[in-house]
Amino acid sequence: MNRGPRFLSKNPFTLEVMKEFPFATAAEYNSILDKSQAAYKIHKKLSYSQRAEKLVKLASIIESRKDECARMITQEMGKPVSVAGGEATRIAQFCRYYAENGEKYLSDSSVETEAKKSYVHYEPIGPIFAVQPWNFPLWLPAKSGIPAIMAGNTYILKPAPNVTQTAFLLQELFEEAGFDNGEFQTALFDNELSGNAIADSRVAGVTFTGSGPTGSIIASKAGAALKKVVLELGGSDPFIVLKDAPIEEVAKKAVMGRVANSGQVCISPKRMIIDKSVIKEFEEAAIKHMDAIKFGNPLEGDVNFGPMAREDIFDKIKQQVADAQSEGAKIVFQKEHENASGLYFPPTIMSNIGADSLLAKEEVFGPVLVLMPADDEEHAVEIANNTNFGLSGSVWTSDETKGEEIAQRVDAGSMFVNEVEKIDIKMPFGGTKMSGFGRECGTHGIKEFTNAKTVWIQK
């Protein structure tokens, strides 16, 4: 059945449809899965050094094509070209990190038992089906794909429909590096075929980055098929500011973190929980820094704020702000731009947010900075934990010991003291509660899609 073009590559600045892609057919679906499984049977037999050699080559290739990658990202989802190239840079770092450390992380681990010899042996499990989002269309698939491939698995990427050209570019880069037998493939599956892939015996594991409702559906399907699954879902990250923090500096970091990628970041300061004695000072400083944001064509090098990636995302953030206003929230500041074309949503600061407000409960995936006063440190932690999410967060104070103590009390997969939340290659990344489960990065990430096999040799 011809279901027609459904994957649209549409420029969110010009609103021009650049390219249309049809859904994969049933025959193409089977071809992709068969090819991935066949590639796995060969790839898993390669030595770690052989896989590492290809990753090092991939790092060099993507660095040489960094500008091309940046331009494609900008055209498909609106990220300013001045920062879009950072995705390519991170991939190169990731390649070299796992090329250098992959074998060490997956080497046999001896365990002293009553046996003559006993150890844990890590081995790959097979093709991994990955459903990945649009907000970091190059970096996020690579973040889970590189360690999976280094471990000996193969990888099937189902991209978000609006970043299809970027997904095919990423596949091209992998192929140029020598992963050209189906180790990395882009698959334009619709929802039905994606569900089939999760249940298919040719797929060994599933990884997903995106919203909670979709993550729940994927986890349910993976559970029914008894498949290993990693979920990196949304967040409503607390940004806790104590009264002894350097307010001017902290407010600037809050604004820059909140408007980065036009607020379309899962790990990002979303709820500013500020000691009530300094919240007015913080608000004034935040307004100053938000007013300095530069709009314009994201392909121009001096622009640092781009449009929302799609119409539905623009509409949702607009509705969230309107709903919050109906609950009593107030817009303190909006950075308007009369000549901004495309899907630009004005960077916004809002106050008078109640503990049970939608802006306090929901993930706000746009450039909206929410101010919430706290009576003291205990109250700040209470507000921080009053959410179903648990991805990340930060604490800002001149007392590092106090900041560390508070960080350990916040329910989150990662907490930062005097630093905006971020992903470090060496540290595990993931969430708790409704922000998902499983980990990426570091030694935890490369072991997610491996079989930890006990080997026992009796005396």
Side-chain angles (χ1 to χ4, degrees):
M1 179 175 66
N2 182 4
R3 285 169 283 188
R6 288 296 184 275
F7 278 61
L8 293 180
S9 176
K10 185 176 182 179
N11 188 314
F13 178 70
T14 66
L15 302 182
E16 169 198 4
V17 175
M18 297 181 291
K19 202 164 184 178
E20 298 183 0
F21 299 84
F23 284 136
T25 64
E28 289 167 336
Y29 164 86
N30 281 310
S31 176
I32 288 170
L33 266 61
D34 283 343
K35 188 174 182 179
S36 187
Q37 190 176 51
Y40 166 66
K41 292 177 180 178
I42 299 171
H43 181 65
K44 70 177 182 179
K45 296 177 181 178
L46 297 182
S47 66
Y48 287 117
S49 61
Q50 288 173 309
R51 297 174 204 155
E53 183 179 353
K54 293 182 181 182
L55 286 182
V56 171
K57 186 177 180 180
L58 174 58
S60 297
I61 290 169
I62 199 166
E63 285 174 334
S64 70
R65 299 177 66 178
K66 176 181 175 179
D67 291 346
E68 176 189 356
C69 292
R71 188 174 182 85
M72 180 61 73
I73 292 169
T74 301
Q75 289 178 317
E76 284 207 300
M77 57 75 60
K79 184 177 300 176
V81 73
S82 59
V83 295
E87 293 195 40
T89 299
R90 296 206 73 180
I91 293 174
Q93 294 170 343
F94 224 60
C95 287
R96 295 189 175 104
Y97 173 77
Y98 277 114
E100 179 180 349
N101 296 290
E103 182 173 5
K104 176 178 66 177
Y105 289 160
L106 297 176
S107 62
D108 293 346
S109 176
S110 297
V111 180
E112 186 174 341
T113 67
E114 62 185 53
K116 177 182 179 181
K117 182 180 181 182
S118 52
Y119 58 94
V120 179
H121 176 70
Y122 296 96
E123 56 191 24
I125 61 174
I128 307 302
F129 180 59
V131 180
Q132 295 289 352
W134 44 265
N135 54 334
F136 291 87
L138 208 69
W139 157 239
L140 290 182
K143 178 160 64 74
S144 59
I146 288 169
I149 289 173
M150 181 61 192
N153 302 297
T154 52
Y155 193 87
I156 302 168
L157 167 64
K158 187 273 178 186
N162 59 318
V163 291
T164 307
Q165 293 190 86
T166 302
F168 278 119
L169 175 58
L170 184 58
Q171 177 179 324
E172 180 184 319
L173 296 170
F174 270 88
E175 290 173 345
E176 188 177 340
F179 298 109
D180 53 1
N181 291 316
E183 295 91 338
F184 186 105
Q185 297 181 83
T186 292
L188 304 188
F189 295 166
D190 62 10
N191 290 341
E192 180 183 350
L193 289 181
S194 294
N196 292 347
I198 294 170
D200 199 298
S201 61
R202 290 168 291 184
V203 168
V206 181
T207 183
F208 170 72
T209 299
S211 71
T214 303
S216 179
I217 293 170
I218 288 175
S220 177
K221 290 182 179 294
L226 298 180
K227 299 283 178 71
K228 176 64 183 290
V229 61
V230 171
L231 300 178
E232 195 271 276
L233 307 179
S236 185
D237 297 358
F239 187 96
I240 301 172
V241 182
L242 304 187
K243 59 185 177 182
D244 62 350
I247 300 302
E248 174 71 26
E249 174 188 346
V250 172
K252 181 177 181 179
K253 289 182 179 294
V255 170
M256 293 301 101
R258 183 74 282 248
V259 303
N261 207 25
S262 299
Q264 302 166 123
V265 185
C266 58
I267 179 171
S268 166
K270 296 189 173 81
R271 293 177 295 145
M272 314 299 143
I273 304 169
I274 306 163
D275 188 285
K276 63 183 182 181
S277 66
V278 294
I279 193 168
K280 188 62 179 177
E281 180 185 355
F282 183 97
E283 177 186 307
E284 292 171 353
I287 290 172
K288 178 180 71 175
H289 293 297
M290 190 169 278
D291 195 39
I293 292 169
K294 181 171 175 55
F295 290 76
N297 187 337
L299 285 173
E300 295 176 359
D302 60 342
V303 170
N304 61 7
F305 184 80
M308 308 300 287
R310 293 195 313 248
E311 286 95 336
D312 59 314
I313 301 159
F314 177 90
D315 291 341
K316 182 175 181 179
I317 188 68
K318 184 177 180 180
Q319 188 62 52
Q320 284 179 311
V321 169
D323 290 344
Q325 287 180 286
S326 70
E327 295 178 336
K330 297 178 180 178
I331 293 178
V332 173
F333 176 79
Q334 277 192 319
K335 171 71 172 181
E336 297 286 358
H337 191 311
E338 59 184 18
N339 297 320
S341 61
L343 300 174
Y344 275 100
F345 188 87
T348 301
I349 299 175
M350 300 193 74
S351 67
N352 201 35
I353 310 297
D356 294 320
S357 165
L358 290 175
L359 293 185
K361 294 290 189 179
E362 295 181 348
E363 179 175 33
V364 181
F365 219 60
V368 178
L369 190 149
V370 175
L371 302 179
M372 302 179 71
D375 296 335
D376 51 30
E377 295 161 18
E378 288 294 323
H379 189 211
V381 172
E382 179 184 337
I383 296 172
N385 288 332
N386 184 33
T387 175
N388 290 326
F389 294 106
L391 189 57
S392 189
S394 60
V395 183
W396 300 82
T397 174
S398 60
D399 186 339
E400 291 181 4
T401 301
K402 183 187 297 181
E404 184 177 359
E405 186 271 330
I406 290 175
Q408 292 175 352
R409 293 170 58 199
V410 175
D411 301 330
S414 59
M415 282 295 294
F416 294 78
V417 178
N418 297 331
E419 176 63 290
V420 176
E421 48 264 60
K422 60 184 179 181
I423 298 174
D424 187 285
I425 295 172
K426 306 178 190 69
M427 299 289 283
F429 172 70
T432 187
K433 300 197 290 189
M434 294 300 290
S435 290
F437 48 77
R439 290 296 181 265
E440 296 177 329
C441 304
T443 181
H444 297 75
I446 199 170
K447 290 179 178 177
E448 282 287 0
F449 292 110
T450 61
N451 173 32
K453 177 185 289 183
T454 292
V455 179
W456 179 291
I457 297 138
Q458 185 61 9
K459 295 179 180 177

